[in-house]
Every structure is written in C-alpha cells, then in structure tokens.
Amino acid sequence: MMKGIKRPFLSEEASSGASNQTVRPLCGIVLKMTAAAALLLSGSIGAPEAALAAAPAIPAAQAAVPKLDTIRVALFIDTGKYVSRASAVTLSADAGLTLSLRGAAGVTPAYQAAAKEQVRVSADGYYALLPETASAAEARTQAQQAAAGGADAGIVQNTARGKQAYRVYLGPFATKEEAAAAAAARPGAVLAGPLRWNAGTYAAAAEAQAQAAAIAQAGFDANVAQLSAGSYAVLVGGAADSAGLEALRAQIAAALPAVVLTPMDAAQGYVLLRTELAADADSAAQPLTAMVFGGNAKLWAASNDPQGAVYVKERFGRMYRGGLELSLHNHRLAVINELPFQQYLYAVLGSELNPAWPIEALKAQAVAARTYALKQGVKYQIAHVSDTTLDQSYKGMAVEFPAALQAVDSTAGEVLTYNNALIDPLYYSNAGGQTADSTEVWGNEVAYLKSVSSQDKGAEEGKKKWYRIVLPNGMSGYIHSDYARDTGLKNPAGLPYYESVQDGVNVRPAPYVDNAGNAAVFKVDVRDRFVVIGEETESNAYAWIRGPYEASEMKKRLGSAMTAGGELQRLEVTKRGVSGRALEVAANGQPLAAAYPDALRTLLGGLPSTKFEIEETGRYTILGADGTVRTQSSSAQPVYTSGGGQTVQEHRDEELFLLNADGTVRVATRSPQFVFRGTGFGHGLGMSQWGAKGYAELGYDYHKILQTYYIGVSISKG
C-alpha cells in the first residue's frame, strides 16, 4: 500500500512476488519537520511531489472506525498538488457500454455503445485547429506528427456541403493562452474554444439532428448536444472569446437568417456527439463516436453487464469494475473509478501480491490495505485515493485472483488501530532483514513503528548468478550466467576464462536488467572470451547493487545538498540507525543536507533503500614489496605495476584490477566512482510484504504477522 516513495528503477523481478518494485507513501504520521520538509516527503524517488501531508496526532480517545461502501479512485485528475493528466480517454466494454449524464436525480442515458465499441470522451476546452482537409490519410499523418512532437491531437470528421472533411485539433487546453501558443506554432492553425450558440432546443434527438444537418450544409460546425435536463440542443461554432462568438453570429445571420441563435448558459451541462478518427498509428482508420462534455456535466460510463468492466485504453488498457465518472475538475478532464470498496480491495491485493503467496500473508495485506484506504478520507478533492504507488497500487479487475478475494472477504471490516484510532499502516516490498525505526526515516518516534527482524530473503529465491567479467581490452561489467560458459582454462593469476554462448549478449554495469537505469555498456558475441573476476546474485528486492556512478554524475545528482566545495572525492556513511540504515552521508567530509533520513535515497539517485554500503572504486590500499602500505586516492599519485618479466611501468588505464590477499579481485579506477551495495526495497517502515510471506511460511497467522510489524496495535472490526 503505502507507496509514497515510488520505485526508482524497473528491474525484471517483481512478477514473482510482492510488487517489490514499489514502496509506500510515508503519509499520515505527525512529523517533527518544517512544512517544506513535509512537502518533500511526499513524492516519488526521482522527483518529490506534494502528496503526503502531516496528519493530526493519534488521539487517545475512542474513535469509531469509518464506513465506506463505495470508493472513488482517481485514474486521471489534476488537483494542483497531484497531477495525472489525459486529454481524452477511449472507453469500451465487452458487453457494450452505456454513457449517461449523471446528476443528483440519477442518470440520463446519452449514448449506447455496442459490444467492444470504442467511444472517445473528452471535456470541452480550448483548441488549436489545423486547416481542414478532404483526405483522412493526410489528417492522420498530421495528427501523428503532432503527437510525435508531444501534442495531444484528435481528428474530427464532418460532412460539409455534402462532402466528408477532416480537421485535426490539438488539445483540449485548459486556457485560451495555452491553445493560442499551440496555434501560433502551427502554420495555418486557428484558435477555437468552448463558446457556442444554441440554434434551437428540442424534445427529440431527431429534430435536433435535422436542424444541425441544415446548418452544417451551409458550412458551419453544428453538433447535437444532450442537455442535463434531458432535452437536445443544436450547438454551433466553438469560439475562444466573446469577439469570436459575435463574429460567428454575424456570419450565420448572413447565411441563414431564419436560424435564431441564443447564448449558451456557461453553467449548463451538456454532452455533444460527433465522429472522430483515431489518431494513433495502431488504430484502424474506421471512425468512432466521440463525446465532448462541458459546463457542469458529469458523464457516467458503465458496462451493460452488471458484473462486467469498463476498459480505459489510455490507462494501460486496464479494465475496471463499477463505473467511471468523467467530469471537468480544475478546468481539466477528471476520470474517477467508482466501485464497491470490497471490490477495490480485490484489485489492490492483485496488484500488490502474487497468487502463489500464502493466504495468511494475503490476509495481512488485506487488513493493511483496508486500513490505509479508510484513513485517507477524500484525499484528492473528488476522490478518496489515486491508483498509483503514491497510495496503493490498483490495476483494475484483470489482476484479481481467487485467493485475493478470499483474503479480503475473510477479513471483512477488519482494520488496524492504536489507542482506538486507525493507524497509518505503512508497508513496502522488502526490509532487507530488519525493518526501520521511525526515527531512521523521519527523525521522530512513532510508537507502533519500531525496528524488528523480518523474514525477507525469499526475494532471492530462484535468482540467477551474474558473472563480473573483464575483456582482453580491459572493459568490464556483468553478464547473466545463462549466456556464458566455463572454458576450463585459467589465466596466470588463476582466474577462469569463460566465453559467450550467444551473439549480441548485453554486458551491464550492475547485475540486473533495466534498459533505462542499467543499460548495457557493451555486447559480446558467441565464443568471445573473457576472464571472470567475481559473481553476484541478480539484484532483487532483498539484496541489490547500483552503480558505478562517476563522481561528476553523483555531484550533479546531489546538487545543493552537497555543502562541501570542489570535486566529489569521498562519499561515506557517517551515521547509522538501529536497523543499520544510513542516517547521515557525508560528501568530502561534510554531511549532505537531507530534509529527513529517508530523503537520502532520492539525493543519491533513487536507491531502493537506505540500508547500504558505499564502495569507492577510486580509493584502495597497496602493500608494497618492502612491506610498506600506501593508501591510493584516485589519480592523486602514480601507480607502477610489475609485469611477468619484472618490467616496471606506470599504470595509465582507467581501471586497475587488484588481487586481494583472499584471492578476490577488486576493480579500482583512476577517477572516483561509487558503487552502492544494499539490502531491502522501500522505506522500511511497518510491514515488509516479503517478510509477511516469510512469516506465513513459518506458520504465523495474519494477526501475528500484523502485530509483529505494527507494535502494540489492535485488530478491530468496524
């Protein structure tokens, strides 16, 4: 659940257990820090966001457990502090979809979609309109080019003067100024907006359609809109300001003097239907129905099958139980999944854990997830929670599995309390063997968040070995053991020669797959030979390696947090907490300016946890032939090596391979580099998901698991 500090890298490991790439939000506890520090606490590893505010102190008095029958989950919303945007969404349902105008009195059906039919929905706003074309292919090319440049684009299909015409629009934008800037950047583009004339209101849709067709025949944009009151209006134009609206009136009056135009009430809720073409290259060139709503309208989309789901193409194609409410919130499209609370928890467990995990671990997760959701209230203005790891991972109906439903149903109503109030049940992927104390993360004490042992090593099970290799040209890195074999030969130092068994095998800086955060440094082909100087288990949620990072790169990451001047030469942990997590890291002898201890993960580039050691590859100790010992620091002093023929020469390569007294090989570098070796994945506060699995396998029931991780809490039933 509590994600709050999101996963920094996506390595290939989480599909066989907890969502061990995710960590939970540090939310809701009283923090002894400044407002600015509290704001920093909220975000993802990479970029702090204002999502986690301090909560009131835990009351000693009896507090009733809140009830929540239906929960609202924000899929897309812009609250100002939390931003997840979409300009439009494409909806469908296997059994067909009903889209209705939603009001206090209930819902009024507006469109009935066939089985699997896609409907594009957007909120009215401001647009940049590209010149009209008679070619659908040309319009699609224009839209795809705009999308490739980062713009939101759509294609409206109209019938004007008896001919098909297509017009690409960019937007919608929340403001006229944004749309005007987009129009100015496109030759021939014009500004448009949500201001329209009402060319007649009718009780029947057919009458409105006839009027709209007559106006369109004269060359004006006219669409039939269903009003919140249930009647139908013919809306004409789409001006961005009052001057444009008046100019449109004059044009229509000259061409169609019999048409009576009345102003459209800005607060009147409406939804208009039009035909669009999908702009993306993967879609067929078939037209689809588009719905544009404005004013105070709210659309409700639900499957025609009460047990079915609604698909949202723009949200990774996920399918959602319940229904979707679409509205204009803070001038932008908001998409809220509203569904029974119990069904929401089914999907949270499916998103967080693996169906093969013990049922008692799943039950512990169910109680924690329920407690978290109830604790939030209406966190996002019109929604209780988001679907992201800033709250609880929620991927919809497709991830549900029978054991998750069993765990939720069998713990129905159960929550975690301390002093008769709901706790903040922080959880995360892996504690690295020992959970954190609250002082190690926030700097202040929370009674039920103490450091305890954790059964987390299961995350390493089944992970393959990676070999650290050195090529004849001196290049080094890690190769997966499946792609290398022992030749049976050894070099003069007694180290084995291996060779590649395939062409184009990636060799990476650290032993895990992540093409973004740990991209290949070079490749080897079949029968390419190299020396193996060590091996590591593939980085996982329990134990991991990150780096190496050049000193210049690390200094850039540290930014103003590095208070010492000059180039970065030394980086070391200078203070640790009771669980072994880093409380203070010094650069060139000066502590980094971290707002709170767990912020060190962000400062150091998104480390999985603060339970780490730092290896400085530019610093090593040399034992000379005469018994003298010298500490070498980067390129400060020259290093001379003696070859097999006793020839002595200065070592000038970037990397130097040192054979230690125990026979292990260490890579040293002329310039400072830093490697982080750590355990655990997440902030470490509260329940470790992998630990819950480990304890369940030892025979703990979910009560004992929860009370192991949350000290002194009660399991209450509302």
Side-chain angles (χ1 to χ4, degrees), residues 277-336:
L277 295 183
D280 57 285
D282 296 331
S283 298
Q286 297 298 317
L288 53 81
T289 296
M291 304 183 74
V292 180
F293 66 88
N296 61 6
K298 293 180 181 178
L299 277 185
W300 176 252
S303 171
N304 293 334
D305 176 2
Q307 304 304 315
V310 180
Y311 292 84
V312 183
K313 180 179 179 180
E314 290 74 15
R315 203 61 175 165
F316 314 106
R318 291 173 182 163
M319 50 192 292
Y320 298 95
R321 290 180 181 268
L324 299 177
E325 182 185 270
L326 302 98
S327 64
L328 196 62
H329 183 70
N330 290 336
H331 307 291
R332 297 188 186 277
L333 176 65
V335 181
I336 308 298

Side-chain angles (χ1 to χ4, degrees), residues 69 71 306-308 321-322 339-348 394 396-397 400 405 408-409:
D69 295 325
I71 191 168
Q307 304 304 315
R321 290 180 181 268
L339 75 161
F341 185 34
Q342 198 84 334
Q343 294 180 1
Y344 161 76
L345 294 175
Y346 296 162
V348 169
Y394 171 68
M397 185 178 178
E400 296 175 7
L405 276 63
V408 172
D409 291 344

Side-chain angles (χ1 to χ4, degrees), residues 469 471 479 500 502-505 507 522-526 528 530:
I469 67 172
L471 265 60
I479 187 173
S500 174
Q502 287 187 14
D503 286 332
V505 177
V507 180
F522 59 91
K523 297 177 184 288
V524 291
D525 293 325
V526 65
D528 281 351
F530 36 79

Side-chain angles (χ1 to χ4, degrees), residues 30 170 185 228 263 425 438 552:
V30 177
L170 308 183
S228 297
S438 60
S552 57

Side-chain angles (χ1 to χ4, degrees), residues 23 107 704:
V23 250
V107 297
K704 189 171 182 180

